Amino acid sequence: MTTSNTSTTSTASNHEEIDIRRLLGILLDHKKWVMASVLGFALIGILYASLATPIYRADALVQIESDSPGNNPLQEVSSLLGEKPPTLSEIEIIRSRMVLGQAVDLLNLDINVAPVTLPIIGAFLERQGVGRPGFANGWGYAFSGETIAVSEMPMADAYLGKTFTLEVEDSYTYRLRDADGESLGSGKVGQLSTFLNGDVAMRVTSIQAPAGAEFTVQHVPRLAAINGLRGRFEVGEAGSETGILSWSLTGPDPDAAKKTLNTIADIYYSQNVQRQSEEARKSLEFLNTQVPQIRSQLNESEEKLNEYRESKDSVDLSLETKSVLERIVNLESQLNELEMSEAEISQRFTKSHPTYQALLEKKAQLQRERDNLDKQVKGLPETQQEILRLQRDVEVTNEIYVQLLNKVQETKIAEASTVGNVRILDGAEVLPAPVAPNKPLLVAVAIIVGLIVGVAAVFLRALFNRGIETQEQIEDLGLPVYATIPLSDEQGKLNRRVKRSGKEYARSYPSGLLAARNPADVSVEALRGLRTSLHFAMLEAGNNRLMITGPSPGVGKSFVSVNLATVCAQAGQRVLVVDADMRKGQIHSAFGAASENGLSDVLSGKQGLEEVIRPVDKVDNLYYVARGMAPPNPSELLMTSRFSDFLAQVSERFDLIIVDSPPILAVTDAAIIGKQMGTTLMLARFQTNPVKELELAISRLRTAGVEPRGAIFNAVERKAATEYGYGYYHYSYK
C-alpha cells in the first residue's frame, strides 16, 4: 500500500515537473515574441516619457515661533504651562480659503489660458523652444514664444467653467468663439470687451502671437480654482515638534509655481502679523477704558483719607501698621494684575482650560494671604484700622493706576512693533529636474508590462493551439508513424526565392524538388527512411499505388509526394506522381510548369495518356501528371471507369504510383481514390492538426472502406516545449 502511494506521488511529481519544463520551453520557443512585446512597450514608454508634460516642484521653508517678539503683555500667564508651537492649527490656516483664495485672486489663477498646439507633439515642440516655421504661417496652432495675457474675465455664473477659443487677428485685436466655433465678436487689447449681451467680458493686456494663432480661455469657479491649487500644494512639519513647516507646490510652469508659492507665503505672513497686531489693539482698547475709572477711584480714595485725618487731627500709623499696609498693597496690586489678565484670557479660553485654571489657582493663593493680613488688621485699634483701610485704598489704587499706565505704553509699543510669530527661512525655489513623469520608473514599468503581455500572449496561444506535437499522440490513435519529417529551412528559403524571382527561377530549380536540389537536407533523409519503410509495407499491398492524404489543406501533401517520388526515383524506380486534387492541386507548381493537360483532361476524354504524363528534366525515372483544368464535378470524374483504366495503365508502366489526394475532411475525393489504392498514408502537420481532427479523418476513411496503413508526421520543428515536455526524436549523422 505504501509502495503504491509513493508511486502515485512520484508520478504526479513527474507530471508537474514536465508541465513546468514545458511552460519554460514554450517561452524559449517564442522568445522573439516576448522580446518584441517588451521592445514595443519600452518604445511606447520612452515615447510617452518624452512627450508627457514635465511637472516641476517649488519648495519653501517657514518657521512658526512659540511666542512673537512683540506679543501681548497680558498673556504672560500662558507661559506657566509651556505650550508647544500650534503647527497643526497653522497648517490648516495655510491651506484655508482665506490664504489660498487671496493667492487665486492676486494671480488670476481662476483664469486658464492655454495655446492650441499641434496634436500629440505640439506641447513637446513648445517645450523645446521650436518657433513657428515659415510654412506654418496662418495655421491655427501656437508655437513656442507665442503668448497672450488676460488680466480679468468677469462673467455670469452660467458660463463659468466653459471653454472659449481666442483667435488672434493682429497685435491689437482678437476674435472670441464658443465651444461650437461660433463667433461671439471681437475685442481690443487693453479694453474690457463684452460678449453674449454682457454675460461674458474679457480684458486682454497683451498679444505676442501672429495672426491665426489660437488659445483656449476658461474662467473656472473660484472654489474650483482654490481646490485645484490646494491639490497641488503640500505643507507638513519638518520633523517632530520643530515648528518648521516645509511647503511645496507642483505645476508644469516652474516660474509660475515659484511665484505662486512665494505669494502664498507673503499672504500667510501678512495675515499672521495682522492677527498679532489685532490682539494688541484689542488689549489697548481694554486698557484705555480702565484708566479713567482707576484715576477716578484714586481721587476719591485720597479725598476720603484727607477728610478722615482732618477729623481726627492727623493720625499717623505705627511702623508695624505701615509694614502690614505695604504687604496688603503689594497683594492687592498682584490681584489686580491677575484680574486684568483674567479679563483678557476669558475672551480666548473657557475656565476649564489649563491656562485659565493656573491663573485662578494663583489668584486664590494671593486672596488667602490677603485674608490672613485682614485678620491682623482687625486686632488694631479702631482709629488705626480706619486709617489703615483708607491708606490701603489710596496705595492700592495708585499702584493699579501706575500699572495701567505702564501697560498702556507697553501695548502701544507692541502694536507698533508687531512682526508676528512667522519667519520665512527659505524662499520658494524650483528644483532643477522635474518631479514627474519619472522617466526611468515609467520605462521600467512599460518593460514589465510588455514582458507580462508577451508572456500572457504566448501562453494563450499555446493554450488554444491544440495541434499534434509528438508521434506518440498519433500512435495513441492506433496508427503507426512511418516517418517523422523535420521542417526544412532550405525549402522555406527556396519558396521565398521563387516568389521573388518568378517563373524563370522555378524552371531552373523546381521549388518543390528539395531532394534533387539538396539531397543532404534532414527532411530528405527522413524521406529516405520513409522509402525504406514503404518498401516493406507495400510488399503486402494489392498494387503499387500509394495515396497520401491529410485532414486539412496546408499540411504539406504535395511537398511530401514529390520529394518522396524523387528519392524513390533516385533509387532506380520508375515513379509517377499524380495530382488527384483537381480543385486546388499544386503539383505542377513544384515542377515549375502549368496545370493544363492533366488528370481532369484524361478523365473527361479530352487528352490521351501519353499527352498528360510529363517527365522531370532534373531527375531520371521521375514523371508526373498535373491536375488539369478545374472541372465542375471532380468527384463524379473519379467515380468513372476512366479513372480505374487510367490507374491500371500507369500501374503497368511504372514501379510506383504516388497519388496526391485532396484533404479527406474537405471533400470526399480521397475516400473514392483510396478504394483503388493498395496503400494509404495519413499526413499530419506539426502543431497544425489537432488530435480530434486527425481522429475524425481516420474515421471518415474507415467508414468509406479505406484502411490507412500508417501516418507521416510532417514539418516537425525542434521546439524547446516539445524537447522538454516530450523529447525530440530526430537525429542527424554527418
Side-chain angles (χ1 to χ4, degrees), residues 457-492:
V458 167
F459 284 153
L460 284 175
R461 182 179 183 275
L463 178 64
F464 290 104
N465 182 15
R466 295 297 184 180
I468 297 172
E469 294 183 337
T470 66
Q471 70 178 40
E472 286 85 353
Q473 293 175 282
I474 301 175
E475 291 172 348
D476 289 342
L477 300 177
L479 205 63
V481 177
Y482 276 28
T484 298
I485 304 175
L487 181 66
S488 175
D489 295 333
E490 180 71 19
Q491 181 64 32

Side-chain angles (χ1 to χ4, degrees), residues 5 20 81 161 221 505:
N5 291 338
I20 294 174
L81 297 179
Y505 187 88

Side-chain angles (χ1 to χ4, degrees), residues 677-699:
M677 297 293 111
T679 304
T680 298
L681 295 180
M682 179 67 67
L683 186 67
R685 189 179 181 91
F686 177 78
Q687 288 188 341
T688 299
N689 301 114
V691 175
K692 290 292 184 181
E693 186 177 85
L694 184 60
E695 184 178 11
L696 180 60
I698 297 171
S699 175

Side-chain angles (χ1 to χ4, degrees), residues 429-614:
E429 291 293 339
V430 180
L431 299 180
V435 295
N438 189 333
K439 294 183 179 180
L441 178 61
L442 187 62
V443 174
V445 171
I447 291 174
I448 294 174
V449 172
L451 180 63
I452 294 173
V453 171
V455 171
V458 167
F459 284 153
L460 284 175
R461 182 179 183 275
L463 178 64
F464 290 104
N465 182 15
R466 295 297 184 180
I468 297 172
E469 294 183 337
T470 66
Q471 70 178 40
E472 286 85 353
Q473 293 175 282
I474 301 175
E475 291 172 348
D476 289 342
L477 300 177
L479 205 63
V481 177
Y482 276 28
T484 298
I485 304 175
L487 181 66
S488 175
D489 295 333
E490 180 71 19
Q491 181 64 32
K493 295 177 183 177
L494 182 62
N495 292 338
R496 289 191 294 270
R497 192 170 300 173
V498 169
K499 290 181 181 178
R500 290 196 303 268
S501 304
K503 294 183 178 179
E504 293 299 325
Y505 187 88
R507 292 192 184 99
S508 301
Y509 298 96
S511 61
L513 294 184
L514 179 64
R517 187 175 187 275
N518 186 7
D521 191 88
V522 292
S523 299
V524 177
E525 190 62 37
L527 289 170
R528 291 192 181 98
L530 175 60
R531 179 187 63 188
T532 303
S533 300
L534 286 175
H535 174 72
F536 296 102
M538 296 184 69
L539 292 177
E540 301 176 359
N543 53 48
N544 61 347
R545 305 165 194 168
L546 168 65
M547 181 181 74
I548 297 178
T549 187
S552 60
V555 295
K557 301 188 309 299
S558 298
F559 170 78
V560 173
S561 297
V562 297
N563 284 282
L564 175 61
T566 302
V567 297
C568 290
Q570 290 172 343
Q573 291 180 289
R574 282 175 55 82
V575 183
L576 177 67
V577 181
V578 180
D579 190 351
D581 187 355
M582 291 179 284
R583 293 176 175 83
K584 297 182 179 180
Q586 296 297 322
I587 291 293
H588 60 279
S589 299
F591 297 105
S595 63
E596 290 79 6
N597 300 325
L599 180 62
S600 63
D601 300 300
V602 173
L603 299 183
S604 60
K606 296 179 181 180
Q607 298 287 343
L609 183 62
E610 297 297 335
E611 296 173 341
V612 298
I613 297 177
R614 309 177 192 179

Side-chain angles (χ1 to χ4, degrees), residues 324 327-328 331-332 335 364-380 388 392:
V324 173
R327 293 169 61 188
I328 292 176
L331 289 175
E332 291 289 349
L335 285 171
Q365 179 182 356
L366 295 177
Q367 287 175 344
R368 287 193 296 270
E369 293 181 7
R370 187 186 62 180
D371 293 340
N372 291 332
L373 291 176
D374 288 342
K375 292 180 180 179
Q376 295 181 20
V377 171
K378 291 181 180 180
L380 297 176
L388 180 61
R392 182 190 64 183

Side-chain angles (χ1 to χ4, degrees), residues 58-59 89 118 124 163 171 179 193 201 271 438 553 636 639 712:
D59 291 334
S89 300
L118 289 168
F124 175 77
T163 301
S171 299
S193 304
Q271 70 83 28
N438 189 333
E636 286 75 6
M639 296 176 67
I712 302 172

Side-chain angles (χ1 to χ4, degrees), residues 120-235:
I120 301 176
I121 62 172
F124 175 77
L125 295 178
E126 184 181 10
R127 291 194 301 271
Q128 299 301 317
V130 178
R132 181 183 294 270
F135 61 82
N137 290 331
W139 284 14
Y141 300 109
F143 289 81
S144 178
E146 300 176 0
T147 60
I148 64 170
V150 179
S151 61
E152 57 179 313
M153 194 176 178
M155 61 176 56
D157 293 343
Y159 295 97
L160 289 176
K162 295 187 178 297
T163 301
F164 299 88
T165 301
L166 185 150
E167 180 184 356
V168 177
E169 294 186 340
D170 53 47
S171 299
Y172 302 99
T173 60
Y174 61 88
R175 180 165 298 277
L176 193 67
R177 298 197 304 268
D178 59 15
D180 298 328
E182 297 292 334
S183 176
L184 304 179
S186 60
K188 294 185 176 296
V189 173
Q191 296 181 0
L192 184 63
S193 304
T194 58
F195 309 91
L196 294 173
N197 299 323
D199 288 342
V200 176
M202 179 186 301
R203 188 190 301 276
V204 178
T205 56
S206 68
I207 294 179
Q208 302 293 331
E214 295 183 352
F215 299 82
T216 59
V217 186
Q218 182 187 48
H219 188 178
V220 299
R222 184 173 183 270
L223 182 59
I226 294 173
N227 291 334
L229 178 60
R230 184 182 290 124
R232 298 186 292 116
F233 177 61
E234 293 183 1
V235 57

